[in-house]
Amino acid sequence: GGNEIRKWLLNTDNLEFIDQIGATTFKGVYKGKRVGIETLKGCDKGNAYDFELREDILELMTCGHKNILHFYGVCIDENHGLCVVTKLMEGGSVQDLMSKNKKLHTREIMRIAADVAEGIKFMNDHGVAYRDLNTQRILLDKHGNSCLGDMGIVAACKSTGEAMEYETDGY
């Protein structure tokens, strides 16, 4: 609903885009906190679009669980369109780590696996299934701790008038 979305709509005056770190991803600052900012395809500047927040995972992403990516809100930026603002995970994804050809020690693999298992268990305990688990969606902080990210908190982003449907981009 509109009231629920307004609650999570961030004021862009408090948001600063710092560095582009991916095709649709930026490092930024929101109210003095380092954040990750993801622009959403189809929700570009100048387009009219509809979106809704997935209430089933909203509570889980804002409760502060160490293995679930923290969600701050969404913003409509005049240069980037609709953006999702989350905790910044400085270590990137497990996919990034693997693509650097870094050999992972068994201890690191076990730590990542345990963190992922805790995150999935937490979500399952709250009746939410984590979809499309893959190495791109396992994010690392600067200390190597991992959390589940890219949960599709914005359920859809389609031009006004088109049917809304949840899109995934990983397998």
Side-chain angles (χ1 to χ4, degrees):
N3 289 334
E4 182 67 23
I5 289 173
R6 273 191 284 281
K7 176 180 170 184
W8 296 103
L9 193 58
L10 305 178
N11 184 338
T12 56
D13 293 342
N14 298 321
L15 183 67
E16 181 181 358
F17 288 73
I18 304 291
D19 291 321
Q20 187 163 0
I21 55 176
T24 61
T25 314
F26 296 82
K27 288 182 184 177
V29 176
Y30 176 68
K31 291 187 173 182
K33 294 179 183 142
R34 295 169 43 92
V35 295
I37 306 166
E38 181 179 356
T39 61
L40 300 178
K41 64 181 177 183
C43 298
D44 307 311
K45 173 187 173 186
N47 286 347
Y49 48 80
D50 286 327
F51 69 94
E52 61 184 54
L53 297 177
R54 287 193 51 201
E55 292 181 41
D56 58 338
I57 59 175
L58 184 59
E59 184 178 322
L60 302 181
M61 289 186 70
T62 57
C63 73
H65 191 281
K66 68 179 183 133
N67 303 114
I68 305 294
L69 182 64
H70 184 78
F71 171 77
Y72 289 106
V74 295
C75 73
I76 301 172
D77 180 73
E78 64 183 46
N79 296 316
H80 299 93
L82 183 66
C83 302
V84 175
V85 180
T86 61
K87 177 182 176 183
L88 178 63
M89 299 301 286
E90 297 93 340
S93 69
V94 170
Q95 175 72 32
D96 297 336
L97 191 64
M98 291 169 45
S99 68
K100 293 176 184 170
N101 293 324
K102 179 182 176 198
K103 182 173 169 94
L104 293 175
H105 298 288
T106 303
R107 184 179 352 196
E108 292 173 293
I109 294 168
M110 294 304 293
R111 182 179 179 179
I112 291 168
D115 286 348
V116 168
E118 283 185 45
I120 289 176
K121 181 181 182 327
F122 177 78
M123 292 184 71
N124 285 341
D125 288 349
H126 289 85
V128 177
Y130 186 84
R131 294 177 42 168
D132 301 320
L133 179 64
N134 64 48
T135 56
Q136 291 175 307
R137 293 189 168 116
I138 302 170
L139 305 176
L140 304 167
D141 67 13
K142 62 184 173 186
H143 304 292
N145 301 308
S146 58
C147 73
L148 300 174
D150 193 9
M151 287 185 245
I153 188 77
V154 177
C157 202
K158 294 286 186 187
S159 298
T160 304
E162 290 184 38
M164 293 177 63
E165 59 186 58
Y166 179 72
E167 291 186 12
T168 60
D169 61 0
Y171 298 97

